[in-house]
Amino acid sequence: MAEAYEDLYTMPVGALGIIAMPGSEALAEQVDCYITNWRRDLHSIPQSLSGGYMRDTYQIPVNCPRFGTGEGKAMIPDSVRGLDIFIVADLFNHGLTYDFYGQKARMTPDEHFQDLKRIIGAIGGKARRITVIMTMLYEGRQHKRATRESLDCAIMLQELVNMGVENIITFDAHDPRVQNAIPLSGFENVHPTYQMIKALVNTVPDVKIDSDHLMVISPDEGAMNRCIYYTSVMGVDLGMFYKRRDYSRVVNGRNPIVAHVFLGDNVEGKDVIVVDDMISSGESMIDVVRQLKERKARRIFVFSTFGLFNEGYEKFDKAYQDGLFDKIFTTNLIYREPALLERPWYQEVNMSKYIAHIVNVLNHDMSISSLLSPVQRIHQLMERHEQDLQAKEN
């Protein structure tokens, strides 16, 4: 509790309001539960904060109905005047459907984004401040122009800012340089490094975090920055795979991968962590873990912030049965099908408490630097884990 409320005895920007976009209700409910419990357990608060500060819930109901043609609108039944609004948005929830000319159609990221703009439009400029927590950055992979291409991510950010959004918080952006599109507005790119390491030591209690027993692998050159951070805070070695592509062909909008070339130290007998921002089709990741097994890696764990698995789970089931990897860790930031949660190789990394900390601190207009760079907490976690290992050995 002291961690949750340290130095928060300041006037908040406004009364807190949390809006869950359709498909984001479960995550927003957990965030709301943490904050209500923290504030309920406070023994004393300044007199100026008493009115409306501690409530049973901070969630604001919204409704996004659609007409039979697929057109939609947003409705907010409660007043939002003067509130500090945080909109939790999972734009990649493909589990939602709507009626479209008598048939069921799945919600796409484009339709979720239109609903987000409709909710901001329904607020109508009455809120004190609007912060969008976009758990996975919409159009984040369309972040740069190669030839005559649209810059969808940059346009999206500018649209939100022009509609009155003051801060945008996202997780593990494919390329955080997209924030250059809105240089005068708030943009925070949050990494789940601490939560991933914590999930690993809780799930695999016998893992040894040192350079003799553990190694971090980047599946391509684009993930190197993430992996460098892991190796720096954990004190282990780094390796990477280079994707050799066929630039004479384009398949599904990109040049196909010809081969993965490994660059790094010997992985024989070591546990290996493969770190990437997302698992899409999974072909590239399975090729990487297969090559690591061929190099006699001991156990292989995959850290991926977003588990899309947009070509199903069968190939991962087979790879797991063949002993190519041991666990895949992904966050609960985006929708995960029930079938994924039942897989023996899958491990969820819950981010709701972390988001609750961010919302709570930002509501008081305080710095979140310590939350964005959790080096001290990671070192404390590793020290406790090392002590537990030594106690078991003794």
Side-chain angles (χ1 to χ4, degrees), residues 18 64 88 97 102 124-125 130 167 202 223 251-252 261 272 288 301 318 332 340 371 377 380 384 392:
I18 299 174
C64 294
V88 181
T97 61
I130 299 176
N167 297 303
N202 288 339
V251 179
N252 294 330
V261 181
V272 170
V288 166
F301 310 107
K318 186 178 186 307
N332 65 332
L340 174 62
L371 293 173
R377 286 186 294 157
Q380 291 173 349
R384 292 195 301 268
K392 291 178 181 178

Side-chain angles (χ1 to χ4, degrees), residues 25-35 332 350 352-353 356:
E25 294 88 353
L27 181 61
E29 185 175 350
Q30 292 181 48
V31 171
D32 177 66
C33 185
Y34 275 114
I35 296 177
N332 65 332
N350 196 322
S352 57
K353 187 176 182 180

Side-chain angles (χ1 to χ4, degrees), residues 215-220 237-244 259-268 270 272-274 287-289 291-292 295 297:
M215 194 169 178
V216 173
I217 301 294
S218 174
D220 54 43
D237 292 333
L238 172 66
M240 71 164 286
F241 281 88
Y242 165 68
K243 287 181 179 178
R244 196 166 75 241
H260 288 90
V261 181
F262 182 67
L263 305 173
D265 204 355
N266 185 16
V267 301
E268 184 175 353
K270 292 184 179 181
V272 170
I273 301 174
V274 183
D287 188 30
V288 166
V289 298
Q291 291 201 42
L292 289 171
R295 289 173 169 80

